[in-house]
Amino acid sequence: MITFFGALLFLIVGYFVYSKVVERIFGIDDDKPTPAYTQQDGMDYVPMPWWKGSLIQLLNIAGLGPIFGAIMGALYGPVAFIWIVVGCIFAGAVHDYFSGMLSLKHNGAQFPALVGKYLGKPAQSFINVISIILMMLVAAAFTAGPAQLIAQITPLNFTVALILVFAYFLLAALLPVNKIIGKIYPLFGAIIIFMAVAIAGALVFSGQSIPNLTFSNLHPGELPLWPLLMVTISCGAISGFHSTQSPIVARTLKKQSEGRKVFYGAMVGEGVITLIWAAAAMTFFSGTGGLQAAIAAGGPAGVVNEMSTSLLGTLGGILAILGVIILPITTGDTALRSSRMMLMDSLSKASKAFQGKKGVVISTLSVTIPTILLASIDYSFLWRYVGWSNQVVATVMLWTATMYLLKNQKFHWITSIPALFMTAVVTTYIFYAPEGLGLDYTLSLILGSLLWLAVAIWFVIQLWKHRDSDIQATVDHH
């Protein structure tokens, strides 16, 4: 119990203290008009209140990620609390802040455009493809589950439910951001917060003891902690998907100082939600063994339903159904919206077909059709690839932020240290994971370390380049 409340306190203090450090290093100017005004188009660039942007950002980045990911990550035991807290404060929230604020700084630019500016065109081309594929994978993975549940509790079959979900996706992607997303997302954002607070309250007063910190790996399946935990719990710690969502809200902010509350604050909010669900999962089922049995019986959705109904009664059952249906759908629709925006940004200069209102329709259909086909694939298969590609995107975003800080002679360690850490995660994971090369664990550690070393050498070279340019600039100034 002490560990849980200590972790909660660290997250709150992290927001009020470290977010201000990050904001000061980045540098803001409230006298400079934001893209919501300078690029206002009534479609994507629309000024909105910061509190509404915060709830939209929370729902965009959260969905079922901080619930399902937390449940799967809870299998490792209380050590997951460390990753949630440290990852959220020093990596995830920093990642989200820079992805949102760099977008705002560059007229609402999408993530691939930011990568191109600070890491070069080859990196932009690579991340453009990876990001759009990630968006479609997320939309597909977060569509099949809700459609299956709708088919179970209504007279509709799976195909009809899938069509209805994608019909909504099309509306949300085609209509101006303030018409659907701006109106109903704050309400849904409030639902996910209420769910977490209600579960936390019921858990504390249930008489069950939330396990305290142990550094042992308690996974019943004996899966290695490194680097699997860092991929299993992404939402709530650090998630590259967020960097694709932040530009949606960056195009609606009225002033730069709102970025700390919207981007850093929403990520800390997601960290709190993840912490609550992880604690509830490992407590309610009396340890990781019981949790694994519950997951095997009904999947993460079944675990959510059982905990919610048992701890909150009828209200809990209703919330569980709302959560499992609404939350992934509201993540899927903004995933498609983001992929549509990325496609337009990358192709609008080359073809008039991707410009204006016509471009919006063509781009939306271009990403929706393959997503519908992907939605028919097994959810667990899709999710494995979402996890890896997601953390690759997160790592690239952290390196993008690092190069921004280096080029502007700012304190880069707030992003370069998390970037180095996440590089180690993804380089090891790709060798070991089943969706990667599936190699022996020890061999994966060795090969991952060698690949990480190559990236670290590249980074040292960048440090020397910018050191030399800074010295030359100083000489020229004098």
Side-chain angles (χ1 to χ4, degrees):
M1 189 75 78
I2 294 175
T3 300
F4 171 72
F5 283 109
L8 192 61
L9 180 62
F10 271 117
L11 285 171
I12 295 171
V13 172
Y15 168 70
F16 284 106
V17 176
Y18 197 62
S19 69
K20 293 181 180 178
V21 173
V22 173
E23 181 185 61
R24 191 177 303 114
I25 291 172
F26 180 85
I28 59 171
D29 181 5
D30 276 347
D31 292 330
K32 186 176 181 180
T34 63
Y37 295 107
T38 60
Q39 308 289 322
Q40 190 167 355
D41 62 359
M43 180 65 184
D44 296 316
Y45 295 86
V46 180
M48 289 197 298
W50 74 263
W51 63 266
K52 186 176 287 190
S54 292
L55 288 172
I56 292 171
Q57 176 73 359
L58 176 63
L59 199 62
N60 284 357
I61 67 175
L64 284 179
I67 301 177
F68 282 15
I71 290 171
M72 300 302 294
L75 289 169
Y76 291 92
V79 69
F81 294 158
I82 298 177
W83 170 236
I84 293 170
V85 172
V86 175
C88 181
I89 294 173
F90 298 105
V94 174
H95 166 281
D96 287 17
Y97 181 81
F98 272 85
S99 64
M101 293 303 293
L102 283 176
S103 174
L104 186 147
K105 183 180 181 67
H106 295 289
N107 295 318
Q110 286 292 311
F111 168 57
L114 298 176
V115 173
K117 182 171 181 61
Y118 294 103
L119 294 181
K121 293 299 181 181
Q124 180 179 359
S125 299
F126 167 76
I127 210 64
N128 222 334
V129 174
I130 291 293
S131 298
I132 293 176
I133 290 175
L134 173 61
M135 295 304 94
M136 292 192 294
L137 284 171
V138 168
F142 278 6
T143 300
Q148 289 171 353
L149 185 56
I150 291 171
Q152 291 173 9
I153 63 176
T154 70
L156 303 176
N157 61 37
F158 175 76
T159 303
V160 174
L162 199 65
I163 292 172
L164 288 176
V165 171
F166 273 103
Y168 163 75
F169 279 5
L170 284 171
L171 284 175
L174 290 170
L175 290 176
V177 68
N178 61 332
K179 296 301 181 183
I180 291 183
I181 293 175
K183 292 186 182 299
I184 65 174
Y185 270 38
L187 173 61
F188 292 156
I191 288 176
I192 193 174
I193 294 172
F194 178 77
M195 281 180 69
V197 171
I199 287 291
L203 188 66
V204 169
F205 292 106
S206 68
Q208 295 177 285
S209 179
I210 301 174
N212 283 318
L213 180 62
T214 171
F215 292 96
S216 301
N217 179 4
L218 302 181
H219 199 293
E222 298 184 353
L223 293 178
L225 191 71
W226 172 268
L228 300 189
L229 177 61
M230 292 74 194
V231 177
T232 304
I233 299 182
S234 53
C235 292
I238 178 171
S239 169
F241 176 69
H242 299 185
S243 64
T244 67
Q245 300 301 291
S246 295
I248 294 177
V249 179
R251 296 180 179 191
T252 70
L253 297 187
K254 294 181 177 180
K255 53 184 180 179
Q256 292 187 12
S257 59
E258 294 175 346
R260 184 174 69 89
K261 292 177 283 190
V262 171
F263 301 119
Y264 200 105
M267 182 60 207
V268 170
E270 187 184 49
V272 171
I273 293 169
T274 304
L275 183 72
I276 290 171
W277 282 99
M282 66 181 72
T283 303
F284 182 83
F285 296 98
S286 303
T288 58
L291 174 59
Q292 186 183 49
I295 292 173
V303 169
V304 170
N305 186 51
E306 185 175 349
M307 285 196 297
S308 300
T309 303
S310 300
L311 292 173
L312 302 175
T314 303
L315 174 62
I318 294 172
L319 287 175
I321 291 173
L322 282 174
V324 175
I325 292 177
I326 293 174
L327 297 181
I329 289 176
T330 54
T331 299
D333 64 3
T334 51
L336 278 186
R337 189 180 187 93
S338 295
S339 59
R340 182 264 292 170
M341 292 161 67
M342 288 181 188
L343 199 61
M344 287 187 70
D345 285 356
S346 61
L347 298 178
S348 60
K349 292 182 179 179
S351 173
K352 291 184 178 180
F354 291 92
Q355 298 175 3
K357 294 182 178 179
K358 179 183 177 182
V360 171
V361 175
I362 293 176
S363 299
T364 301
L365 292 176
S366 298
V367 294
T368 300
I369 293 172
T371 303
I372 293 174
L373 297 175
L374 284 171
S376 62
I377 299 176
D378 178 61
Y379 172 88
S380 59
F381 176 82
L382 287 174
W383 194 244
R384 290 208 307 266
Y385 289 93
V386 168
W388 174 75
S389 59
N390 185 44
Q391 297 306 61
V392 169
V393 169
T395 304
V396 173
M397 180 62 235
L398 286 171
W399 283 120
T400 300
T402 298
M403 293 308 297
Y404 160 76
L405 293 174
L406 274 175
K407 289 182 177 180
N408 288 276
Q409 301 177 32
K410 297 175 183 284
F411 187 76
H412 65 82
W413 295 109
I414 60 169
T415 56
S416 57
I417 291 177
L420 286 166
F421 178 85
M422 289 305 298
T423 299
V425 169
V426 297
T427 53
T428 304
Y429 188 86
I430 190 58
F431 287 113
Y432 178 69
E435 63 271 24
L437 299 179
L439 301 179
D440 172 75
Y441 183 62
T442 302
L443 179 60
S444 298
L445 291 176
I446 295 171
L447 294 175
S449 298
L450 291 174
L451 190 52
W452 176 87
L453 183 60
V455 176
I457 291 172
W458 166 82
F459 176 54
V460 171
I461 293 172
Q462 299 306 310
L463 289 178
W464 278 102
K465 282 183 178 179
H466 285 86
R467 176 179 176 272
D468 291 342
S469 63
D470 292 345
I471 293 174
Q472 186 62 47
T474 302
V475 171
D476 293 342
H477 177 72
H478 290 290

